[in-house]
Amino acid sequence: MAKITQFKGYDSPTPTIPKPDTPVDPMILTVQDGVPVAYPGCHGLGVRVVHPVNPNAPAKNLGLVMFYLPPHTINGVGSHETEETYIILEGRGTMTFANGRTQEVEKGMFIYLPPWCEHGIENTGNETLVVLIATSPPNP
């Protein structure tokens, strides 16, 4: 069993982002409020929900994309300088990494991808593979 750690809070002597004088309101939205994005050579579709290009939630240091990959389709192997996490929300598939290493993925799994980690994903199931992709900083 994992050791439970104590949350220490965000107090620091010098915040990196100044606190505004007035309270900041949240931006609450759905996937339908996002900006669709197509990936080269892929039949899947992403929706940039929290991302600099989405005026409904224009984050500066975070990207959240809902990625929908139909059955038996692939998003090919590539890499980039951003940190990324894939959170599998629905379906199952196979991720491919450097040197042909593969990993079966399914609902409930988190896959952390350090900068420049080669990765691709294939939907090996019979339902749409739904992946929440979190990037920091956001992909262009």
Side-chain angles (χ1 to χ4, degrees):
M1 181 173 179
K3 180 182 175 190
I4 298 173
T5 59
Q6 183 66 41
F7 177 74
K8 296 184 185 204
Y10 291 103
D11 293 334
S12 68
T14 309
T16 57
I17 299 172
K19 187 173 181 179
D21 295 330
T22 58
V24 178
D25 288 327
M27 297 172 189
I28 301 169
L29 54 156
T30 66
V31 172
Q32 288 78 13
D33 299 313
V35 176
V37 59
Y39 299 96
C42 177
H43 292 288
L45 183 69
V47 180
R48 291 175 165 165
V49 181
V50 175
H51 195 278
V53 302
N54 185 357
N56 296 307
K60 291 178 178 40
N61 300 306
L62 176 69
L64 291 177
V65 174
M66 290 293 289
F67 182 51
Y68 303 92
L69 195 60
H72 313 293
T73 58
I74 297 172
N75 189 17
V77 175
S79 68
H80 42 75
E81 66 180 296
T82 60
E83 289 184 275
E84 192 167 57
T85 299
Y86 279 31
I87 302 104
I88 311 299
L89 300 178
E90 297 292 335
R92 58 185 330 115
T94 301
M95 290 196 72
T96 301
F97 304 102
N99 302 320
R101 180 175 160 243
T102 62
Q103 172 69 49
E104 298 298 314
V105 295
E106 62 185 24
K107 181 178 179 176
M109 293 179 84
F110 291 68
I111 300 90
Y112 170 67
L113 304 162
W116 298 113
C117 177
E118 292 183 21
H119 61 284
I121 191 165
E122 177 181 0
N123 182 343
T124 56
N126 292 319
E127 62 180 305
T128 299
L129 179 60
V130 181
V131 183
L132 175 61
I133 302 174
T135 57
S136 179
N139 288 327

